[in-house]
Amino acid sequence: MKQILAMFLIAGSVITAVQAQKLTTYRPGMVFPADYAPAKDTLVVMAYNTENFTDTKDNPYISNRMEDDAAKAMEGREALLAKALKAANADIVMIAEFETVAYLREINQKYDLGYKFFASSESQTWYQNTMLMSKVPIGTFRTYNAVYSPVEGETDKNGMPLTQTNINSRMWIAEVWPAADRKLYLCGVHLKAGRNKSDTATRAGQFHLLKGEFDRILKEDKHAAILMAGDFNATPESAEFRIMQEGNKKSRLIDPLAGTEVYSHPAKAPRWRIDHVLYNQNLKSRIVPGSTGPVYLLSREEMEKLSDHLPVITKILVR
């Protein structure tokens, strides 16, 4: 009990002594909705790349054939997504390649999915976005929409170090609060796709940016529990993936499926794992053993129609 209470400590907040440990209350100035009931003892977290999931309305500010035409391939997929979300019954869902959070809210209401809290980081020029919907309150939401990251080892036409900000909108870090004395840092990602040198270098830059953010969070809160999930577009064997498993003991992330032959893509016949759930040492003891990995929520045929990725889930003990 002592270890559990200490795990979600927030430095500098109002504190109460519990069994010689300090237990942080909800951050001053932030309150729970009046009708919010504390979460159950176990949280189910799911991350899912929904593959070009768009509404049927053309966004006039995004001139892109895929966004214009994607709606033609949407027949039946909305209902399938709702069916999959109900089957997962996740408390927190991190979604990638989804057009707008407004459309996600509409689906939630239309199919009575039960989610109350939403946050997103949406590109101004692209339609594949990442977002968060939750049954537990969301606190601070950190977006990297305007942040530049290095394309490591690459130079521009003038010989200067190459940087990019085009796809960093697809990364964010959110605080979620299952209860007033419990906080979890969730990092949702959809990193750069592709296998050429520049793609790999771009992902490496994104990984290093996020690793720096984890270090910063842990400097402020040494007990911070961090979970990173989503479409990394990187396999466990790749050099850029291993960046997250290096450095500071508390900020390096654990891959619970390391060394296994568990795959997430493509959904029809998975042969590689690019969708991941990783967590830091502070969270390790709270992960339900054997609960982490890709899942078939519906039939193989339905999952294939819904997306080329399988969703990945994990279960976290809150108390």
Side-chain angles (χ1 to χ4, degrees):
M1 182 65 177
K2 184 174 175 180
Q3 181 181 2
I4 299 172
L5 293 174
M7 198 174 75
F8 296 106
L9 178 67
I10 308 170
S13 296
V14 179
I15 55 177
T16 304
V18 178
Q19 294 185 0
Q21 292 287 342
K22 293 182 177 180
L23 172 64
T24 304
T25 61
Y26 202 51
R27 180 180 297 172
M30 297 172 64
V31 297
F32 282 121
D35 61 348
Y36 175 70
K40 53 191 179 183
D41 290 343
T42 303
L43 283 181
V44 178
V45 179
M46 181 171 83
Y48 194 15
N49 181 327
T50 55
E51 190 191 5
N52 293 325
F53 209 99
T54 69
D55 58 28
T56 57
K57 307 174 184 69
D58 176 40
N59 185 337
Y61 299 103
I62 297 178
S63 180
N64 181 275
R65 179 185 57 80
M66 292 179 68
E67 190 271 333
D68 297 340
D69 297 343
K72 297 177 182 178
M74 284 296 296
E75 184 177 357
R77 291 181 68 206
E78 181 184 288
L80 276 179
L81 177 61
K83 184 179 179 181
L85 290 170
K86 286 184 176 180
N89 193 28
D91 300 284
I92 299 167
V93 181
M94 307 154 81
I95 285 186
E97 286 199 31
F98 200 96
E99 188 170 9
T100 67
V101 73
Y103 183 35
L104 186 61
R105 293 176 69 101
E106 180 180 280
I107 291 174
N108 174 67
Q109 183 175 13
K110 179 178 178 180
Y111 294 92
D112 193 24
L113 300 179
Y115 294 92
K116 294 185 177 182
F117 309 100
F118 297 81
S120 69
S121 174
E122 297 181 9
S123 171
Q124 300 172 25
T125 59
W126 193 239
Y127 70 97
Q128 293 180 346
N129 295 301
T130 64
M131 53 202 64
L132 171 65
M133 69 177 182
S134 176
K135 296 177 182 178
V136 302
I138 300 170
T140 302
F141 187 83
R142 308 176 190 218
T143 177
Y144 301 93
N145 209 323
V147 176
Y148 281 80
S149 60
V151 181
E152 298 191 354
E154 299 285 292
T155 57
D156 62 19
K157 61 183 179 180
N158 298 316
M160 300 297 291
L162 190 62
T163 62
Q164 68 82 31
T165 188
N166 295 330
I167 56 174
N168 289 345
S169 60
R170 302 186 332 199
M171 312 185 301
W172 43 259
I173 297 177
E175 298 174 6
V176 293
W177 290 84
D181 56 358
R182 302 290 184 274
K183 179 174 68 170
L184 177 66
Y185 292 92
L186 296 181
C187 176
V189 299
H190 177 202
L191 302 183
K192 180 70 174 72
R195 295 289 169 265
N196 64 37
K197 183 180 178 182
S198 179
D199 297 328
T200 300
T202 299
R203 283 194 296 275
Q206 292 180 301
F207 277 126
H208 274 129
L209 184 145
L210 292 172
K211 192 164 184 62
E213 288 297 282
F214 297 160
D215 286 336
R216 182 159 68 94
I217 288 170
L218 283 157
K219 186 175 181 180
E220 298 171 355
D221 175 7
K222 66 181 181 180
H223 297 287
I226 298 171
L227 184 144
M228 180 177 178
D231 179 2
F232 289 35
N233 274 308
T235 63
E237 301 79 21
S238 65
E240 69 269 27
F241 183 88
R242 290 196 294 270
I243 291 170
M244 305 311 295
Q245 299 168 311
E246 299 170 349
N248 185 295
K249 182 178 179 180
K250 288 191 175 182
S251 65
R252 70 179 68 153
L253 300 184
I254 298 165
D255 176 12
L257 297 178
T260 69
E261 295 183 354
V262 176
Y263 307 120
S264 66
H265 184 272
K268 181 177 181 179
R271 61 180 181 272
W272 59 347
R273 182 160 59 94
I274 56 176
D275 306 274
H276 305 275
V277 177
L278 311 181
Y279 42 82
N280 72 338
Q281 187 67 33
N282 287 343
L283 188 56
K284 181 179 178 181
S285 64
R286 300 294 93 212
I287 300 294
V288 176
S291 70
T292 306
V295 292
Y296 278 92
L297 298 168
L298 309 175
S299 70
R300 190 175 293 267
E301 292 75 17
E302 289 174 312
M303 296 301 292
E304 180 186 354
K305 181 177 181 179
L306 184 50
S307 174
D308 58 345
H309 292 255
L310 292 177
V312 287
I313 69 166
T314 195
K315 296 180 181 179
I316 301 171
L317 297 174
V318 178
R319 302 194 179 279

